[in-house]
Amino acid sequence: AQSVTQPDIHITVSEGASLELRCNYSYGATPYLFWYVQSPGQGLQLLLKYFSGDTLVQGIKGFEAEFKRSQSSFNLRKPSVHWSDAAEYFCAASSGNTPLVFGKGTRLSVIA
Amino acid sequence: GAGVSQSPSNKVTEKGKDVELRCDPISGHTALYWYRQSLGQGLEFLIYFQGNSAPDKSGLPSDRFSAERTGGSVSTLTIQRTQQEDSAVYLCASSPATWGNTIYFGEGSWLTVV
């Protein structure tokens, strides 16, 4: 079955430190891949997406993600975290004609 | 409007009552989706509308759940005889076309069944 796994439920990083959030997918072929962010009481905002081509994609708010076919991964990164980045992050995938499947999310806390 | 609009933003209802949640998608978007987000869970797909095609209802958890989309625009998700396990945030989203496109989410309707 198609699935998306985010192994880390909760991550805490210091402000200014680098960040990597993990995402693995299980699909027959390379799916479309997305990262969304959800701030408390807010809807989901798209950070970035991968459809094809360059495996390193840039998104909003200084985020980037790298698609690695060999590892079935699409990890989200940011070089320097800001306190405002504290939120819930969701990785999602779709084969293009099937419902978008979400991981269970990773909650990011940022400490001073 | 500029984004996906959902109402009500919060709803508290008694167990056994019916509730209706409304979604107004982004103008011009042909695809509309409903998801459910429960505490500690990811987003669970419920139903998908695309143009005039028959909706994909494969995610609806029981026959107490139904949804319609009138005139290819506004959608209503109805939950009959609500149960406590229905308490969740119900998120609506829309996109210009099908699943391959980016979908844009509303802020959700928080349903609490007491």
Side-chain angles (χ1 to χ4, degrees), chain A residues 32 34 36 38 41-44 46 49 51 88 90 94 96-105, chain B residues 35 37 40-45 48 56 58 89 91 98-108:
Chain A
Y32 301 121
F34 306 80
Y36 283 84
Q38 186 179 36
Q42 303 294 314
L44 282 90
L46 179 70
K49 60 188 178 186
F51 283 6
E88 188 94 19
F90 292 94
S94 169
N97 58 1
T98 56
L100 199 59
V101 175
F102 285 83
K104 291 191 183 296
Chain B
Y35 280 83
Q37 184 178 19
Q41 300 295 315
L43 281 81
E44 175 188 8
F45 165 73
Y48 160 58
D56 177 353
S58 60
V89 178
L91 292 164
T98 59
W99 289 108
N101 279 273
T102 302
I103 64 175
Y104 298 87
F105 284 85
E107 295 190 359

Side-chain angles (χ1 to χ4, degrees), chain B residues 37-104:
Chain B
Q37 184 178 19
S38 304
L39 189 63
Q41 300 295 315
L43 281 81
E44 175 188 8
F45 165 73
L46 297 177
I47 188 169
Y48 160 58
F49 296 90
Q50 170 60 291
N52 295 322
S53 302
D56 177 353
K57 304 180 182 180
S58 60
L60 294 178
S62 77
D63 59 8
R64 296 187 296 106
F65 288 73
S66 63
E68 63 176 20
R69 187 178 186 191
T70 54
S73 181
V74 172
S75 176
T76 301
L77 177 68
T78 302
I79 308 173
Q80 296 179 307
R81 305 181 301 283
T82 52
Q83 303 296 312
Q84 288 187 328
E85 60 263 29
D86 299 334
S87 297
V89 178
Y90 289 84
L91 292 164
C92 179
S94 70
S95 74
T98 59
W99 289 108
N101 279 273
T102 302
I103 64 175
Y104 298 87

Side-chain angles (χ1 to χ4, degrees), chain A residues 25-83:
Chain A
Y25 63 88
S26 175
Y27 275 73
T30 299
Y32 301 121
L33 295 160
F34 306 80
W35 274 99
Y36 283 84
V37 60
Q38 186 179 36
S39 298
Q42 303 294 314
L44 282 90
Q45 182 181 23
L46 179 70
L47 286 176
L48 47 78
K49 60 188 178 186
Y50 172 77
F51 283 6
S52 64
D54 193 347
T55 57
L56 185 64
V57 294
Q58 302 297 320
I60 62 171
K61 305 184 179 186
F63 285 92
E64 66 178 25
E66 185 172 14
F67 167 66
K68 291 186 177 180
R69 184 189 308 274
S70 62
Q71 299 177 18
S72 298
S73 69
F74 188 57
N75 294 349
L76 182 71
R77 302 196 295 245
K78 186 169 184 177
S80 177
V81 169
H82 188 262
W83 65 267

Side-chain angles (χ1 to χ4, degrees), chain B residues 5-49:
Chain B
S5 178
Q6 292 187 245
S7 62
S9 54
N10 285 284
K11 175 74 175 179
V12 180
T13 190
E14 293 181 351
K15 178 181 173 181
K17 295 283 181 70
D18 297 351
V19 296
E20 287 188 348
L21 307 176
R22 175 190 166 101
C23 174
D24 199 346
I26 294 172
S27 178
H29 281 191
T30 58
L32 186 147
Y33 320 80
W34 283 98
Y35 280 83
R36 178 170 69 176
Q37 184 178 19
S38 304
L39 189 63
Q41 300 295 315
L43 281 81
E44 175 188 8
F45 165 73
L46 297 177
I47 188 169
Y48 160 58
F49 296 90

